[in-house]
Amino acid sequence: MKQENLYPDKNLSPQPKYVQTKSLRVNQKSIIGMITTILALLFISPYIYIILTSFKPSSEAISPSPTFFPRELSVENYIGMFEKMPVIHYFMNSFVSAAVSTILAVFLGALAAYGLSRFSSKIGNVFLLITLCVRMIPMISIAIPMYMIINGIGLIDTRLALIITYTAINVPFAIWLMMGFFKNIPKEFDEAARIDGCNIFTAFMKVILPVSLPGLATTSIFCFMLAWNDFLFALLLTSTNAKTATVGISEFLTAYNLDLGPMTAAAVSFSLPVMIFSIIVQRYIVSGMTLGAVKE
């Protein structure tokens, strides 16, 4: 007897399990992609609105019935920004303070992290715990003591005051971040350098640091961002000469007036370069964070 074909139509035949699983995965990825896209649009929509507002005429920017898109494009706000605020001076203060403090914090943090990762002891573990506790302290709680110290040594309204403050804040963060990178570097590298005649510091500078460049880049980017975006300490420790862009932008808002157009132009000018830089180096940040994951 011929066996009857139960599924003469191929379309009615049951799908293999791996095909069903693959289809289910595709649907899950599509749903996750849609949710991610919606959340990303919601997250960046305020910033897009600020960018669009910066290109609106002043009368349209402060209109009681604002629109999302400008009716006409204008660079009036960018011109007014330079007329009402010494933009270049404030931006240079922000950049110098953030850049120098980042270099110092990363170097000091790398030294401490290298020592703690290579010469572990009970005292070192206690020190590491203290640095973590210090980093967890809210910045507002140390603002007044920091102001009193800076004022006592006569550094109020100087870039050096900001550099010292940002370095002190970022060093604990740099230590904890660099610990993961150094623990992933085999100790044989140190031993090979010592055999070649290097002392501990020379081995650190010539062998360990070049190997840990992704970690240094990641730590530097985060430390720079923390210093670049600071408002609290810049407001307390500066008044005129060392005023940063974050404080300068806030001065467009007063008790009697709001220059919304120039404020949005200054905010875009302050944030857009950093955002573009972050997008460019994001793959290095991800690879650096992955490389620094400590394997248990």
Side-chain angles (χ1 to χ4, degrees), residues 22-59:
K22 183 177 180 180
S23 177
L24 182 61
R25 289 178 180 175
V26 171
N27 292 333
Q28 288 178 346
K29 288 182 179 180
S30 300
I31 294 173
I32 293 174
M34 291 176 59
I35 295 174
T36 304
T37 302
I38 294 172
L39 291 176
L41 290 175
L42 291 174
F43 182 77
I44 66 174
S45 57
Y47 187 72
I48 295 176
Y49 180 75
I50 291 176
I51 295 176
L52 295 175
T53 303
S54 68
F55 288 100
K56 295 178 181 179
S58 297
S59 57

Side-chain angles (χ1 to χ4, degrees), residues 18-209:
Y18 72 90
V19 175
Q20 296 177 2
T21 304
K22 183 177 180 180
S23 177
L24 182 61
R25 289 178 180 175
V26 171
N27 292 333
Q28 288 178 346
K29 288 182 179 180
S30 300
I31 294 173
I32 293 174
M34 291 176 59
I35 295 174
T36 304
T37 302
I38 294 172
L39 291 176
L41 290 175
L42 291 174
F43 182 77
I44 66 174
S45 57
Y47 187 72
I48 295 176
Y49 180 75
I50 291 176
I51 295 176
L52 295 175
T53 303
S54 68
F55 288 100
K56 295 178 181 179
S58 297
S59 57
E60 186 179 346
I62 59 175
S63 173
S65 56
T67 58
F68 191 82
F69 295 98
R71 296 186 180 92
E72 61 175 303
L73 295 177
S74 173
V75 294
E76 173 187 343
N77 294 323
Y78 289 89
I79 297 174
M81 171 186 69
F82 284 96
E83 293 175 350
K84 298 178 180 181
M85 183 181 77
V87 178
I88 304 300
H89 179 66
Y90 291 168
F91 275 46
M92 283 301 299
N93 287 337
S94 295
F95 177 77
V96 171
S97 302
V100 176
S101 64
T102 297
I103 294 172
L104 292 175
V106 171
F107 180 71
L108 295 175
L111 280 174
Y114 175 70
L116 291 170
S117 64
R118 290 298 189 266
F119 311 102
S120 59
S121 62
K122 292 183 178 180
I123 297 177
N125 293 333
V126 172
F127 173 77
L128 196 60
L129 182 61
I130 291 174
T131 59
L132 178 62
C133 295
V134 169
R135 190 65 187 87
M136 293 174 65
I137 296 175
M139 294 297 102
I140 189 66
S141 64
I142 65 172
I144 301 303
M146 187 65 72
Y147 172 83
M148 296 177 64
I149 294 172
I150 295 298
N151 187 44
I153 58 180
L155 292 179
I156 289 294
D157 199 21
T158 62
R159 291 176 179 174
L160 183 58
L162 296 177
I163 291 171
I164 293 173
T165 303
Y166 295 154
T167 302
I169 293 172
N170 281 328
V171 162
F173 175 77
I175 291 174
W176 272 92
L177 201 56
M178 290 302 300
M179 279 284 292
F181 297 105
F182 289 140
K183 284 187 176 181
N184 279 341
I185 298 176
K187 294 184 179 181
E188 286 76 9
F189 282 40
D190 306 70
E191 296 171 357
R194 297 295 296 274
I195 292 174
D196 289 339
C198 297
N199 56 33
I200 297 176
F201 183 76
T202 307
F204 170 75
M205 295 295 296
K206 293 186 176 182
V207 178
I208 303 301
L209 283 186

